[in-house]
Amino acid sequence: MKKGDILLICAVLILAGAGLIFMNLGGKKSGGTLTVTVRGEIYETYDLAKDQEISLEIDGWHNRFRIKDGVVSMMEADCPDQYCVEHAPIAKVNETIVCLPHKVVLEITEGEEPRDVDA
Ligand SMILES: [Zn+2]
C-alpha cells in the first residue's frame, strides 16, 4: 500500500464522519414530532416526516393545521383573534404555535419514543 492510498482512505473516512455529524445535527435541529396539547393535556403527536393535514374539532370549534416538509403551519381556525393563523410556520425543536382562545398548543419536540431512552 502506498502512502497516497492511506491518505486517500483517511480523507474518505474523515468526510464520512463529518457527513454523519452533519446529519445528526440536522436531525436534531429540525425535530421529529409535533405534539398537540389541548387544555393542558396531550391530545396527539404527529410524525413531522409525514406530510399531512389535521383538523381538530372540539366542542364546536376547529383548528386546521398542516405538516409539510417538516414545517408546521396553522391553516385555519375559527378563534376570534386569529393569532395562531397569522403565526409564522414552525420547524425547530421547542418552537410553538399557540391558539389562546382554544387553549391549543402545537409544539415541536425531539420525537424520541420513550422506549428508546436508556433507563
Ligand atoms: Zn387561534
Side-chain angles (χ1 to χ4, degrees):
M1 204 182 250
K2 288 176 200 156
K3 201 178 176 187
D5 293 334
I6 295 165
L7 281 175
L8 187 69
I9 289 166
C10 283
V12 168
L13 284 176
I14 289 165
L15 278 175
L20 276 177
I21 290 164
F22 183 76
M23 275 167 67
N24 282 339
L25 286 176
K28 201 170 186 182
K29 232 180 185 177
S30 62
T33 302
L34 174 68
T35 301
V36 177
T37 307
V38 179
R39 294 178 191 138
E41 285 174 22
I42 290 176
Y43 175 82
E44 187 69 82
T45 57
Y46 302 93
D47 188 355
L48 278 186
K50 208 172 128 196
D51 288 357
Q52 56 188 314
E53 240 180 73
I54 298 112
S55 286
L56 290 179
E57 305 275 351
I58 298 169
D59 288 350
W61 53 256
H62 74 271
N63 284 67
R64 191 161 59 87
F65 56 94
R66 183 177 72 177
I67 300 170
K68 186 148 197 320
D69 302 327
V71 178
V72 181
S73 45
M74 187 70 81
M75 306 297 290
E76 198 191 313
D78 60 352
C79 58
D81 62 19
Q82 295 288 299
Y83 285 162
C84 56
V85 182
E86 286 163 19
H87 195 286
I90 56 172
K92 289 178 187 157
V93 171
N94 293 331
E95 284 188 319
T96 55
I97 295 177
V98 180
C99 182
L100 267 182
H102 294 169
K103 295 188 172 65
V104 171
V105 181
L106 311 184
E107 182 177 13
I108 294 180
T109 50
E110 294 275 6
E112 283 167 78
E113 298 291 326
R115 64 175 177 273
D116 291 332
V117 176
D118 290 325

